[in-house]
Amino acid sequence: MTETITHDVIIVGAGLAGSWAAMVASREGVTNIGVLSKVYPLRSHSGAAQGGIAGALNNIRSVDGKLESVPVGESGDDSIESHMFDTIKGSDWLGDQDSIEVMVNDAPGIIYEYERMGCVFSRLEDGRIAQRRFGGHSSPRANYAADWTGHVLLHTIHEQALRHGVRFYSEWQMMELIIEDGVCRGVVAMDILTGELHVMRAKAVMFATGGYGRVYQITSNATANTGDGVAIAYNAGVPLLDMEFVQFHPTGIYKHGILMSEACRGEGGYLLNANGERFMENYAPDKMELAPRDLVSRSEQTEINEGRGIGDDKQGIYLDLRHLGAERIMERLPQVREIAMSFLGVDIIDEPAPIQPTAHYSMGGIPTDVNGQVVIDADNTPLHGFFAAGECAAVSVHGANRLGTNSLLEASVFGRRAGYAIAEFIKGGAKLHPYSGDGVSRQRERLDNFMSKSRQNGNGRGQPEQVAAIAAELKQNMTDNCGIYRTEEKLLIAREKVRELRERFKRVVVMDSSQRFNTELLTAVETEHLLTFSEVIIEGALNRTESRGAHFRTDYPKRNDEQWMKHTLAQNTPEGVALSYKPVHIFWDRYPPQERKY
């Protein structure tokens, strides 16, 4: 008989958002918390973020293009108000301004809380936290720890969660979200080590499962970032918000996609084409390399498309850091140098590094309010007992494009806020609702069906298919037809291809029949998730006949506020993806829409 595991709270995902929520809820008196992670918690993708966490501390100012410390007691040129406007502008006016206001106001406090917990930030000579420039920000407000920022933040909060008695289930794969009668009642999960499935009942469930960059061929995302939480919530009837907005980072390692931090440009790195030209002066003359990521990535792709790319396939660009000098690179970009040497054989002290745009961040996801409560329609109706935060969620602080260093901030701020909300929910008398379904049997049948096809030669449906081949075709399709530049013609090709792949996936063969640590079976589950939400990305992009932020339609190259200043909601129906819309929250008297120029 399958064991049922019961907690007051189940959190899926052990990165910054999930660990903050668990730590805070436990600190507030909720003692029975379980955190599931399909990787070892300290391998969560939050740890891969390099360049910094945004917050207007005003420790540094820019004078004549050079950075200097703001003397203690003096006021610099940064402010929370400036951080807010930069984020709104970066979002191309699709970010909800009430949510953005919450995030930027919470920013200094959360950074100082990290500091009090022992986070090892880089320091100024007087001991204050060091800050650097980042793309799209008008002041240096990226608070950093060399280029290991996400790593040290994750270690700090994980230690605090352990200190407060949070239980971690390491290497467990979530399979299903249990919702009955409008109430979230738990999850079905698999212990990857044993292959056993369990019902995990809880009074509250929170998803903090990260992004879905693995749906693209070239991506900075870890292999675990397959959008499991987004797909599973969608399958359970939860709508998804703004999935068409996928950010491409300008500086992924050529042919690998592994991230070279935006800190490279924050420290003063140059982008060069095959002619040795700093081409950003043609696209963003005021900001140059420190324009927002969507603009820089498109600029790079334009240079490549027009024949000025580098490399054997002419699909790359150079990132040049040589002028920074060895001392500065070793002090502030040691990880970047190590990555370039390991994957390119290039020492950035002496040579420029070949890079190219890489799928990096998902602005869309599970819709929530500012306290992590999941909402299910345009009226913001809450789903009882279900919360989400981090990259899998869409509180919509990023809108159509995220500014660098706002991701670690978002995960931390809204993870913490969700923790307080969950604690209040549990301590306010939340009930452990009964579960009458049989999710374990349903998921066991799903898994057995993958493996039985190898014995039944395709289950009578034709030639068996291999998971790896379908995944590779999906990623190539999304890259070619739903990438940086989009057209109706390409998006229609993308949609048809995804539908074809979903049909072929029904004949997938998993040859490994073992129960313990069956990675082939896990890949099949993850690929099914990729196929589930990829069509949502395509449908949203096809329907949005404008260009805004990271969504750029060459057949509709202008932003269209009259028709498209609204969020996309995508619902799973028997007939396929059903789209509807909800308004963007704008402070019209403070931040009315304007042309986005840099």
Side-chain angles (χ1 to χ4, degrees), residues 408-427:
L408 292 179
L409 178 62
E410 179 212 14
S412 302
V413 164
F414 294 108
R416 181 173 71 169
R417 293 179 73 90
Y420 283 118
I422 288 169
E424 184 178 349
F425 177 73
I426 298 298
K427 289 158 59 176

Side-chain angles (χ1 to χ4, degrees), residues 181-489:
D181 301 322
V183 175
C184 184
R185 301 164 189 248
V187 299
V188 177
M190 177 173 64
D191 181 349
I192 296 172
L193 177 62
T194 64
E196 294 180 357
L197 291 163
H198 301 269
V199 170
M200 305 187 81
R201 296 177 61 205
K203 299 173 183 177
V205 173
M206 176 180 162
F207 279 10
T209 53
Y212 48 80
R214 280 285 152 181
V215 79
Y216 288 90
Q217 182 186 37
I218 299 293
T219 179
S220 64
N221 282 205
T223 55
N225 279 31
T226 51
D228 300 342
V230 168
I232 288 169
Y234 181 68
N235 285 336
V238 178
L240 301 179
L241 186 85
D242 290 341
M243 290 287 285
E244 63 266 38
F245 295 102
V246 180
Q247 183 180 83
F248 286 76
H249 196 290
T251 54
I253 283 185
Y254 179 55
K255 294 187 177 181
H256 295 279
I258 298 165
L259 189 64
M260 294 186 72
S261 171
E262 190 164 321
C264 296
R265 289 176 289 128
E267 294 294 341
Y270 299 155
L271 295 175
L272 307 177
N273 62 19
N275 300 328
E277 300 162 337
R278 284 183 70 188
F279 55 86
M280 284 308 300
E281 65 183 1
N282 300 320
Y283 303 95
D286 290 340
K287 289 286 189 182
M288 293 292 286
E289 285 86 359
L290 286 175
R293 290 172 179 174
D294 61 323
L295 199 161
V296 180
S297 291
R298 283 196 299 274
S299 303
E300 290 180 347
Q301 195 63 47
T302 298
E303 292 293 304
I304 290 167
N305 292 349
E306 294 181 356
R308 295 183 291 276
I310 60 97
D312 53 11
D313 59 0
K314 306 299 183 184
Q315 294 298 302
I317 291 292
Y318 280 127
L319 172 63
D320 191 356
L321 301 164
R322 292 173 293 180
H323 56 285
L324 300 183
E327 183 179 353
R328 189 168 175 185
I329 288 172
M330 294 299 292
E331 177 190 352
R332 300 189 183 184
L333 301 170
Q335 182 183 192
V336 166
R337 178 173 181 255
E338 182 181 329
I339 288 170
M341 292 175 71
S342 297
F343 291 93
L344 294 170
V346 167
D347 188 339
I348 59 174
I349 293 174
D350 302 314
E351 302 174 70
I355 50 100
Q356 69 183 125
T358 182
H360 181 63
Y361 192 86
S362 39
M363 273 72 73
I366 302 165
T368 73
D369 67 13
V370 295
N371 296 311
Q373 171 67 63
V374 172
V375 296
I376 57 172
D377 54 30
D379 297 323
N380 294 325
T381 303
L383 177 54
H384 188 82
F386 188 34
F387 299 80
E391 193 173 351
C392 75
V395 66
S396 200
V397 289
H398 307 309
N401 174 67
R402 175 177 70 76
L403 294 188
T405 68
N406 271 352
S407 58
L408 292 179
L409 178 62
E410 179 212 14
S412 302
V413 164
F414 294 108
R416 181 173 71 169
R417 293 179 73 90
Y420 283 118
I422 288 169
E424 184 178 349
F425 177 73
I426 298 298
K427 289 158 59 176
K431 296 179 180 179
L432 184 68
H433 292 271
Y435 174 49
S436 59
D438 197 1
V440 166
S441 294
R442 183 164 48 251
Q443 292 303 318
R444 175 49 60 197
E445 182 180 2
R446 175 190 179 193
L447 298 178
D448 287 348
N449 193 41
F450 285 133
M451 292 186 283
S452 69
K453 289 170 189 167
S454 62
R455 297 192 295 271
Q456 298 176 22
N457 193 28
N459 213 18
R461 294 174 176 165
Q463 189 66 25
E465 294 277 357
Q466 298 297 314
V467 173
I470 288 180
E473 288 187 44
L474 172 65
K475 295 172 184 185
Q476 188 67 59
N477 173 57
M478 293 298 288
T479 298
D480 291 344
N481 299 312
C482 191
I484 293 176
Y485 286 116
R486 301 165 174 181
T487 65
E488 180 179 14
E489 180 183 10

